[in-house]
Amino acid sequence: MKILQLLFVFLPLLINAQFQFVPSDSLVVFSNGNEMTMPWAGGLNYPQFSSIDYDFDGDLDLLVFDRSNNQIKIFEQRTDGTSPFYKYDTEGASLFPDDLRYRLFAVDYDMDGRKDLFAYGIGGLKVYRNTGDNTNGLSWVIADDLLYSDNWGTPLSLYVSSSDIPAIVDVDFDGDIDVLTFHIGGEYLRYHKNLSRELYGHSDSLIFELKNECWGTFREDVSTNSVYLNDQTTPCTTGNLPNPEFPQFEGKKEMGDKAHSGSTVLALDIDGSGVMDLILGDVAFPNLNLMINGGDSVNQNSAMISTDPLFPSNSIPANMQLFPASYNIDVDFDGVKDLIVAPNAKNISENEKSVHFYKNTGSNEVSNFVFQQKDFLQSEMIEHGTGSIPVFNDVDGDGLVDLMVANIFSYKAVLDKESRIAYYKNTGTPSDPIFTLIDKDYQNLSDLDVGLRMYPAFGDLNGDAKNDMILGLEDGTLSYFVNNSSGAFISYASPIPNMTDASNTVIQNGLYAAPQLFDLNNDGLLDLIIGIKTGELIYYENIGSSTTPSFQLVTSLLGGLDFATSSPNGYPTPFFFRENDTTYAIVGDVDGKLSFIRGIDGHINDGDLFDSVEYDYLSVDVGGYSAVSVVDLNDDGILELFIGQDLGGIFYMKDDPNSNVGVVELKKNNIRLWPNPINDLLTIEVLNFSEDEIVSLYSPTGKRILEFKLTGEINKIAVPDLKPGVYYLVFKERLSTIKFIKL
């Protein structure tokens, strides 16, 4: 039975005063001879793409929603002289609603020049209206919690499977946004027409009717991705002309039942004929299927007349393992919409080179897509599949600390996975570190075939001044690698599997061991701390010598902590460090957040409790599987924080003692808010106080929660019932908005 520490002392102001880590991009990283433009952007796995002017500066930025764990990334369009480029915005995700999942697309449905959001609603679509402006920034109100459509006189929810990507587009070119989505059985594409123009003469309504139950008069086979044109079954028209398939796409699906269970739909007029054509992806196949519409006018129930299952057949055909989705969006700033192809299936798809870019060498009227690269955006960032783990170690003994990036898994062809460790050599100087990717599979460790997530820990265990390696493995055991490198030649002795403790018992406390070598009791010997799947931290004291390590179990619940807070599993990834003779720890977990621990020294024996833990440290949320390292890379006395995550990349933050973390200040309107994040009490300070000042508290979705008058220059507002999340204070008289986070 687990023992939980239920009482923690929360000291956010004191902790933030100790370490005020802020995002940074100052560290240079090279790969394949080129400097990465945004190495610390965090990676991508299964992304969806839209354009949006999120900063109201007149150009279109890139909104990326990754369905891996519902992460949002914003890439701002910037210009260097005359050349536009994308720059990752570390704060961009905070500008969007926090309850988004499965899918997200930016579409201007009301034609007001501001792109709105179409997201997942239960069994269908939820819509947020963009009410932002250049002065106050982005803001959202719910336009519709769930879209409905008139099905021949009966209003029913406009069904979209959670796994599908529908086409949200003006199908009939009448100025309002329609929807194309497969029906619940997955064989027929349904056309839901928006009646806003017909009923009201404008586009700002979401009134739909089921216009056609078999739009394009085709049927997709329930067991393969075969498409039958002019299908004769109800509800399609007569005739049965099978799609001429290619051998590599024949056969039954291998992944489950016979019912069709997923499709992606892109509707565009690819040939300039005046009617929408289709690009389809299927849940169990790697290809895209182009279907050409034979009509010449809209809403005439025109049929698809040809298919191309090797699209784009004029270039390198799409071959995306698995479940490809396509997006028609200009990503090279030439005003012509290109084609982006990315996987739509979690955990079984390509996750390192998973953004394929096809340049449109034609026009927006007649498209011609030509393959360019498999790793759009990803080539500019550290990217190693799923669940990155940053660990620092002087690999080659040159006195410079190198970067190792382990992972939970990388995609391995075909439909397989492997765990690897990447090696980034520090090719800079002691005062100016630079990292260069040397090897994506350090020491060919993937050949060990020991399951998913090899978690490395480094330290000199035998006193030869060379860092040995311990690997924590999926089955919970440890493998010990003695470093026998000679000079710059890096090598290890054959691994010693099933590492044992002082009593010759195999060290195996639970699955997915996450080890760290750290002198926890400060006796000059490296001890062993291990996070395990079920949420506990295990502590082994090194009772050996500087040349012969011997680990003795002290406690299976170090500090009284259990990080399995939201599910039976926690997957804690511990990182203990010492600063000014005081020990601290930052721990990542399965939820993608961080915990900061104080009061460690003197509390490491079995049954001891650490003094304090700040959960949701720095309000970091990487979506899933956070893992950290803290290091002073250039010995300047400033610590750096590196955060691994579900999407396979790394976030980089620096301790800035002059940072305003914890205090939000708007000097132009003389407003200060602290602390930020808050617990149950926030303080608002205003200069030039007026008794008429009214402040409103809003949720991220635009719902007003509370309204109050300021009573003086200093105002303490209690919000104990506020749920954790992002909120906004609107100062009506001062025309200002402040964002804060409730823990």
Side-chain angles (χ1 to χ4, degrees):
M1 179 177 180
K2 298 180 183 178
I3 301 172
L4 301 182
Q5 180 178 354
L6 299 177
L7 296 177
F8 297 107
V9 180
F10 286 88
L11 300 172
L13 286 179
L14 185 58
I15 290 172
N16 283 340
Q18 182 72 47
F19 303 111
Q20 299 189 74
F21 292 107
V22 296
S24 176
D25 61 358
S26 59
L27 268 179
V28 174
V29 181
F30 281 87
S31 177
N32 297 320
N34 299 313
E35 181 179 347
M36 294 181 178
T37 59
M38 41 188 171
W40 311 107
L44 296 170
N45 283 350
Y46 319 113
Q48 303 164 5
F49 292 84
S50 302
S51 61
I52 185 172
D53 183 7
Y54 85 111
D55 50 6
F56 296 94
D57 65 351
D59 57 32
L60 288 176
D61 311 295
L62 196 59
L63 168 63
V64 180
F65 179 82
D66 201 301
R67 72 180 305 155
S68 184
N69 267 298
N70 306 313
Q71 297 99 322
I72 291 176
K73 291 183 183 291
I74 284 287
F75 296 89
E76 180 188 0
Q77 184 180 158
R78 294 188 181 180
T79 301
D80 180 10
T82 58
S83 301
F85 62 95
Y86 286 123
K87 185 70 173 178
Y88 174 63
D89 184 349
T90 59
E91 301 296 325
S94 66
L95 303 175
F96 291 80
D98 58 3
D99 60 345
L100 304 170
R101 52 198 180 116
Y102 297 125
R103 57 175 169 266
L104 180 69
F105 300 103
V107 180
D108 183 11
Y109 81 87
D110 54 6
M111 305 301 172
D112 65 355
R114 298 172 294 191
K115 289 203 173 183
D116 312 295
L117 300 178
F118 283 72
Y120 173 79
I122 299 176
L125 294 170
K126 183 177 185 177
V127 182
Y128 295 86
R129 185 166 178 263
N130 187 343
T131 58
D133 56 50
N134 189 46
T135 300
N136 298 299
L138 277 179
S139 61
W140 309 97
V141 297
I142 295 178
D144 208 317
D145 273 313
L146 187 63
L147 293 183
Y148 280 77
S149 183
D150 185 341
N151 284 233
W152 321 126
T154 302
L156 300 174
S157 62
L158 199 164
Y159 174 78
V160 183
S161 165
S162 62
S163 64
D164 280 9
I165 300 294
I168 304 170
V169 65
D170 185 3
V171 174
D172 53 7
F173 302 100
D174 68 348
D176 54 24
I177 296 299
D178 312 300
V179 178
L180 292 171
T181 178
F182 276 91
H183 85 308
I184 196 168
E187 296 175 87
Y188 309 108
L189 191 65
R190 289 185 161 194
Y191 166 33
H192 297 270
K193 175 177 169 53
N194 192 341
L195 301 178
S196 184
R197 279 286 178 182
E198 286 77 7
L199 293 176
Y200 309 116
H202 51 69
S203 306
D204 63 357
S205 296
L206 296 164
I207 310 297
F208 294 92
E209 72 170 3
L210 180 56
K211 179 75 174 178
N212 196 309
E213 292 186 274
C214 184
W215 190 80
T217 68
F218 70 92
R219 173 173 60 88
E220 189 167 20
D221 187 74
V222 296
S223 298
T224 71
N225 67 342
S226 301
V227 174
Y228 295 91
L229 305 181
N230 296 313
D231 187 65
Q232 64 180 355
T233 60
T234 304
C236 298
T237 56
T238 58
N240 186 10
L241 187 63
N243 167 42
E245 293 184 72
F246 285 72
Q248 57 264 48
F249 301 126
E250 291 181 349
K252 300 290 184 181
K253 292 192 292 185
E254 299 177 356
M255 298 172 47
D257 54 38
K258 296 181 179 179
H260 180 80
S261 57
S263 295
T264 63
V265 184
L266 173 64
L268 75 165
D269 184 5
I270 197 170
D271 55 4
S273 64
V275 290
M276 287 291 184
D277 310 298
L278 294 175
I279 299 174
L280 300 181
D282 185 274
V283 67
F285 292 85
N287 65 305
L288 290 174
N289 200 341
L290 171 65
M291 304 185 67
I292 296 298
N293 195 325
D296 56 13
S297 59
V298 299
N299 286 342
Q300 298 300 312
N301 196 27
S302 54
M304 298 294 166
I305 59 172
S306 68
T307 68
D308 180 4
L310 290 179
F311 175 79
S313 55
N314 63 300
S315 181
I316 298 175
N319 184 18
M320 173 63 72
Q321 297 285 356
L322 193 63
F323 196 11
S326 51
Y327 308 93
N328 192 207
I329 181 174
D330 176 21
V331 296
D332 58 2
F333 313 107
D334 63 357
V336 181
K337 291 183 178 182
D338 308 297
L339 187 74
I340 295 292
V341 181
N344 194 49
K346 289 176 56 175
N347 299 324
I348 60 171
S349 300
E350 172 66 61
N351 59 3
E352 284 184 292
K353 295 184 176 181
S354 55
V355 185
H356 295 190
F357 167 37
Y358 289 80
K359 179 179 177 59
N360 189 348
T361 61
S363 65
N364 286 326
E365 290 72 34
V366 179
S367 300
N368 184 59
F369 299 116
V370 178
F371 176 79
Q372 303 294 306
Q373 65 182 110
K374 288 187 174 183
D375 52 359
F376 173 68
L377 296 179
Q378 294 169 306
S379 63
E380 301 298 335
M381 61 181 81
I382 293 174
E383 166 63 272
H384 296 289
T386 294
S388 54
I389 303 161
V391 180
F392 286 88
N393 170 47
D394 183 1
V395 171
D396 50 6
D398 63 356
L400 300 177
V401 179
D402 308 299
L403 171 63
M404 317 298 289
V405 183
N407 65 5
I408 296 178
F409 73 89
S410 300
Y411 175 82
K412 180 181 179 181
V414 173
L415 299 182
D416 200 359
K417 302 174 182 178
E418 66 180 6
S419 182
R420 300 196 300 259
I421 299 175
Y423 165 36
Y424 289 80
K425 177 178 170 58
N426 189 339
T427 55
T429 66
S431 60
D432 185 20
I434 295 172
F435 293 107
T436 300
L437 178 62
I438 301 298
D439 191 350
K440 282 193 172 184
D441 190 4
Y442 181 64
Q443 297 290 300
N444 296 315
L445 290 172
S446 66
D447 291 344
L448 293 176
D449 194 23
V450 290
L452 303 183
R453 200 180 80 163
M454 292 185 294
Y455 200 113
F458 296 91
D460 181 10
L461 291 174
N462 57 8
D464 64 355
K466 293 180 287 191
N467 285 337
D468 307 299
M469 178 172 62
I470 290 177
L471 285 185
L473 304 179
E474 179 182 357
D475 66 1
T477 64
L478 305 177
S479 284
Y480 177 33
F481 296 72
V482 175
N483 189 338
N484 58 12
S485 299
S486 176
F489 178 75
I490 304 167
S491 67
Y492 295 88
S494 298
I496 303 172
N498 298 313
M499 188 174 168
T500 58
D501 64 11
S503 65
N504 204 33
T505 301
V506 173
I507 298 174
Q508 186 179 30
N509 299 274
L511 300 178
Y512 291 97
Q516 183 192 5
L517 290 168
F518 178 78
D519 183 6
L520 187 60
N521 59 2
N522 211 10
D523 66 350
L525 299 177
L526 290 173
D527 304 305
L528 180 62
I529 305 159
I530 308 171
I532 59 174
K533 178 184 177 184
T534 48
E536 302 92 344
L537 299 181
I538 318 297
Y539 167 41
Y540 286 84
E541 179 187 359
N542 189 345
I543 61 172
S545 67
S546 60
T547 59
T548 307
S550 179
F551 296 104
Q552 177 176 278
L553 178 65
V554 175
T555 176
S556 296
L557 198 66
L558 180 61
L561 299 181
D562 186 339
F563 292 90
T565 56
S566 62
S567 71
N569 298 314
Y571 294 90
T573 55
F575 190 89
F576 287 75
F577 63 101
R578 194 164 281 122
E579 179 74 359
N580 296 325
D581 296 323
T582 301
T583 305
Y584 306 93
I586 301 178
V587 180
D589 60 32
V590 68
D591 293 331
K593 299 183 179 183
L594 303 181
S595 297
F596 187 97
I597 306 173
R598 295 168 58 90
I600 297 170
D601 295 317
H603 301 89
I604 61 175
N605 294 316
D606 193 28
D608 289 349
L609 304 180
F610 293 149
D611 281 351
S612 67
V613 177
E614 180 187 358
Y615 293 110
D616 202 14
Y617 178 53
L618 300 173
S619 299
V620 167
D621 186 352
V622 298
Y625 299 103
S626 50
V628 305
S629 280
V630 179
V631 63
D632 180 2
L633 282 174
N634 52 7
D635 292 324
D636 61 358
I638 298 176
L639 293 179
E640 288 129 323
L641 173 66
F642 295 81
I643 309 172
Q645 59 201 281
D646 176 49
L647 297 184
I650 307 293
F651 286 157
Y652 166 47
M653 305 178 78
K654 293 188 70 172
D655 184 22
D656 181 1
N658 299 313
S659 168
N660 288 324
V661 172
V663 177
V664 174
E665 182 175 5
L666 296 181
K667 294 182 179 179
K668 66 179 181 179
N669 287 315
N670 298 310
I671 305 170
R672 296 177 74 239
L673 166 69
W674 75 87
N676 190 20
I678 71 168
N679 284 311
D680 294 333
L681 186 71
L682 65 87
T683 301
I684 301 170
E685 179 183 0
V686 293
L687 300 182
N688 304 321
F689 165 69
S690 167
E691 293 183 354
D692 296 327
E693 294 201 61
I694 297 176
V695 181
S696 297
L697 173 64
Y698 286 89
S699 74
T701 60
K703 179 181 179 181
R704 188 170 67 185
I705 300 171
L706 179 67
E707 189 168 87
F708 55 89
K709 291 183 68 173
L710 300 181
T711 59
E713 288 193 354
I714 303 293
N715 304 263
K716 294 187 179 296
I717 311 299
V719 286
D721 297 328
L722 212 58
K723 294 180 179 180
V726 178
Y727 295 89
Y728 298 87
L729 289 174
V730 177
F731 296 79
K732 295 183 178 179
E733 297 295 322
R734 298 173 187 245
L735 300 177
S736 296
T737 300
I738 292 179
K739 180 181 71 174
F740 70 90
I741 297 171
K742 172 67 165 61
L743 296 178

